[in-house]
Amino acid sequence: MRYLIDTNIFIFYAVDRNQLDKDILYILNDCGNIIHISSESVKELIHVFQNGRIKTRRWKTPEDILYNIREDLGFTINYVKKEHLYTLARLEPVAGHNDPSDRLIIAQAITERIPLISSDRKFEAYRKQQLQFIFNRR
């Protein structure tokens, strides 16, 4: 099965797996699953790393993050496409949730019809808009 992971799930998986629910770990460790990460998440990861908001010995440079995603973990980068942007344009606003990166990642999951895994409870509100959501109860 295919899954799309939010930025926070990738950080937890790469840096501190204790932050992940056992069911989420099972999904991520199951070699029968294909795990996708949005190019928008990759952009966020590079940004927070360059601003010193991620501290780990695992990554010395932003390029290390890319290597970790593709080579170490075998995750697939899901690049933003025109279809995702059309879905984003049709997404109804959700009170209390304005993060444009999150909304683009949600639009990707809806467009691709794949479950999105996140620790962000606000994503629940997008179920009404066809989001398949799996919440990480950390």
Side-chain angles (χ1 to χ4, degrees):
M1 183 148 175
R2 299 179 327 142
Y3 296 90
L4 180 65
I5 59 171
D6 190 17
T7 311
N8 59 62
I9 298 299
F10 175 78
I11 292 170
F12 295 152
Y13 192 70
V15 178
D16 182 7
R17 293 186 184 180
N18 290 326
Q19 295 292 317
L20 295 170
D21 180 89
K22 65 179 174 53
D23 294 334
I24 302 301
L25 270 174
Y26 181 80
I27 290 169
L28 297 176
N29 288 329
D30 183 341
C31 60
N33 291 329
I34 300 169
I35 307 301
H36 296 264
I37 184 168
S38 172
S39 59
E40 185 69 14
S41 288
V42 175
K43 181 195 84 168
E44 285 184 311
L45 288 163
I46 290 169
H47 176 76
V48 296
F49 179 82
Q50 289 176 332
N51 287 296
R53 293 190 349 222
I54 298 176
K55 302 284 188 206
T56 178
R57 286 184 242 167
R58 171 171 246 157
W59 305 321
K60 307 283 186 257
T61 68
E63 291 88 356
D64 292 342
I65 297 170
L66 292 168
Y67 186 86
N68 189 226
I69 291 168
R70 290 190 326 257
E71 306 303 325
D72 291 341
L73 300 174
F75 293 170
T76 300
I77 298 174
N78 190 345
Y79 292 92
V80 175
K81 300 176 190 161
K82 174 179 63 172
E83 296 81 10
H84 303 140
L85 297 174
Y86 278 106
T87 301
L88 175 63
R90 288 188 302 270
L91 267 185
E92 294 177 23
V94 168
H97 188 248
N98 303 339
D99 187 310
S101 292
D102 284 353
R103 288 178 53 81
L104 181 53
I105 294 165
I106 289 165
Q108 284 183 288
I110 291 169
T111 303
E112 301 288 328
R113 293 186 172 111
I114 59 177
L116 174 59
I117 303 171
S118 179
S119 297
D120 191 335
R121 261 194 204 283
K122 294 176 185 171
F123 287 21
E124 286 279 353
Y126 292 92
R127 285 185 189 268
K128 297 175 189 168
Q129 299 182 60
Q130 307 305 312
L131 177 66
Q132 299 172 56
F133 178 59
I134 301 172
F135 180 65
N136 175 51
R137 292 170 183 80
R138 51 183 174 150

